[in-house]
Amino acid sequence: MSDRGYPDAVADEFPPPPTAFTDREDRRIEVRPYEGDPAARESLVEMYDAFDPADRAQGIPPGGEERIREWLDAILADDCYNVIAWCDDAAAGHATLVPDGDAYELAIFVHQEYQRAGIGTHLIRGLLGHGQANGVEKVWLTVERWNRAAVSLYKKIGFETSDAESFELEMGLRLRADGETAAEGDASATPDESDADE
Amino acid sequence: MKVLCGIGGSDDSFRALDRTVERAAVASDDLTIAVVDNEDSSVSPDEVVERAEAAVEEAAIDAEVRRVEGDPGSRLVDIAETEGFEEIVLGGGHTSPMGKITIGSIAEFVLLNAKTSVTLVR
């Protein structure tokens, strides 16, 4: 891909998971990293199999169990970073960082049943905290420009638009200064209430 | 049908080439393959022309391979209009590491400006 733009300023420290909170529907939600557990993978298959096609973005998640499994094989690989929002044993949301050269591409999905409850904000902060703790420097994403809820979530997190000339907006975030090594940060989690679930 | 297939050397453009040539062989389309400049492509226009000619030869169809210089999107729309093409065929987009599809700037321009139908090949 072509050179992508990132903000000069380094983003805040995000809280590394596991984190837990009560969502706006009074459900207890835990955000935990995915670490190769087959049962967690099956929960994701279930979540995506029940995903409303209207909430697909640029072709993902794909439709049908077989394609979902193929896609998950790629994004749950060892060189990717994944976090899952759990409501008891059910996956309510999932966010992922997939390597792309010296940066990572981000995507986040919250199941319909759990949208507009503030889970997306906690989930993306958890993912970025997980990435930061593992030395991820730069993150980019694309988002359909009409998806205002998602765009405002990303902006609130600190993403800046790097390319606005296509159907999709491209946005970038700098998690660490170039070459900075993983250091202890005083992660101050400010749980903010947003309607901006993707 | 009179079909104009625009390719610039990206992976998805070669997929569009193969599919359009295949279809032309069974549907007897009147096919023209326009090799356009795509600055994002790592394959040179001459190589793209060679691949297009090879595909046409292999399918044993009678199709013109034409080198088209200048702004790719507007040139394709212009050729389609002035030469009476009924359809423009293009690659269906680049897939990111995540699996997200993004449509290139050429396809975007053609989609919004063409008077003909436009097919994006997946």
Side-chain angles (χ1 to χ4, degrees):
Chain A
M1 287 296 283
S2 53
D3 290 338
R4 301 177 189 281
Y6 299 92
D8 291 332
V10 176
D12 298 339
E13 290 283 337
F14 296 99
T19 55
F21 61 99
T22 303
D23 78 358
R24 284 206 291 277
E25 302 284 330
D26 249 353
R27 293 170 295 212
R28 187 74 183 153
I29 306 290
E30 275 184 46
V31 175
R32 296 197 296 266
Y34 167 82
E35 275 153 350
D37 176 16
R41 180 183 288 242
E42 288 310 305
S43 298
L44 282 183
V45 172
E46 218 169 283
M47 178 185 111
Y48 284 121
D49 208 19
F51 211 76
D52 185 346
D55 281 347
R56 276 189 206 168
Q58 295 167 257
I60 58 168
E65 191 183 320
E66 196 181 327
R67 287 209 169 108
I68 290 169
R69 284 185 187 281
E70 227 171 83
W71 175 61
L72 286 177
D73 281 347
I75 66 170
L76 297 180
D78 288 343
D79 56 352
C80 303
Y81 296 107
N82 286 273
V83 298
I84 301 171
W86 294 96
C87 181
D88 293 325
D89 292 336
H94 167 221
T96 178
L97 291 172
V98 177
D100 175 38
D102 64 346
Y104 286 77
E105 183 184 4
L106 178 146
I108 172 171
F109 293 96
V110 177
H111 187 273
Q112 303 75 240
E113 216 178 292
Y114 297 93
Q115 290 178 4
R116 285 169 291 280
I119 295 174
T121 303
H122 287 271
L123 189 55
I124 194 169
R125 289 173 60 85
L127 176 70
L128 294 171
H130 188 41
Q132 239 162 8
N134 285 285
V136 171
E137 284 177 12
K138 289 177 287 191
V139 176
W140 66 273
L141 59 86
T142 55
V143 56
E144 287 141 324
R145 54 177 71 243
W146 46 261
N147 193 348
R148 286 172 190 276
V151 172
S152 68
L153 168 64
Y154 298 141
K155 280 191 177 154
K156 199 177 58 181
I157 290 293
F159 278 89
E160 288 179 11
T161 302
S162 51
D163 182 358
E165 285 178 14
S166 309
F167 285 172
E168 310 83 19
L169 285 180
E170 186 182 290
M171 304 179 88
L173 181 75
R174 190 180 296 279
L175 284 182
R176 295 186 171 279
D178 285 325
E180 187 191 341
T181 50
E184 293 291 309
D186 64 327
S188 51
T190 22
D192 43 4
E193 291 300 313
S194 160
D195 278 308
D197 285 325
E198 190 172 344
Chain B
M1 190 157 59
K2 199 167 168 186
V3 176
L4 179 64
C5 177
I7 60 173
S10 60
D11 291 349
D12 59 314
S13 78
F14 287 128
R15 218 157 35 235
L17 167 70
D18 292 343
R19 207 82 85 66
T20 310
V21 165
E22 243 170 64
R23 200 202 108 95
V26 289
S28 310
D29 290 326
D30 176 1
L31 173 63
T32 297
I33 297 159
V35 175
V36 297
D37 297 322
N38 180 358
E39 57 184 26
D40 293 334
S41 163
S42 53
V43 186
S44 78
D46 289 347
E47 284 173 73
V48 179
V49 168
E50 272 173 39
R51 283 198 44 179
E53 282 169 347
V56 167
E57 195 179 349
E58 198 184 325
I61 57 167
D62 185 22
E64 182 196 349
V65 178
R66 191 191 305 181
R67 175 79 177 94
V68 172
E69 289 178 54
D71 177 67
S74 59
R75 293 288 290 124
L76 287 170
V77 170
D78 185 46
I79 290 167
E81 274 174 27
T82 54
E83 298 182 27
F85 282 94
E86 296 159 280
E87 186 190 24
I88 300 174
V89 181
L90 299 168
H94 167 87
T95 305
S96 76
M98 176 70 60
K100 278 191 174 179
I101 290 170
T102 42
I103 302 212
S105 56
I106 301 173
E108 201 174 308
F109 183 92
V110 171
L111 273 178
L112 295 174
N113 290 287
K115 298 276 185 283
T116 65
S117 294
V118 179
T119 298
L120 300 184
V121 175
R122 287 276 151 81

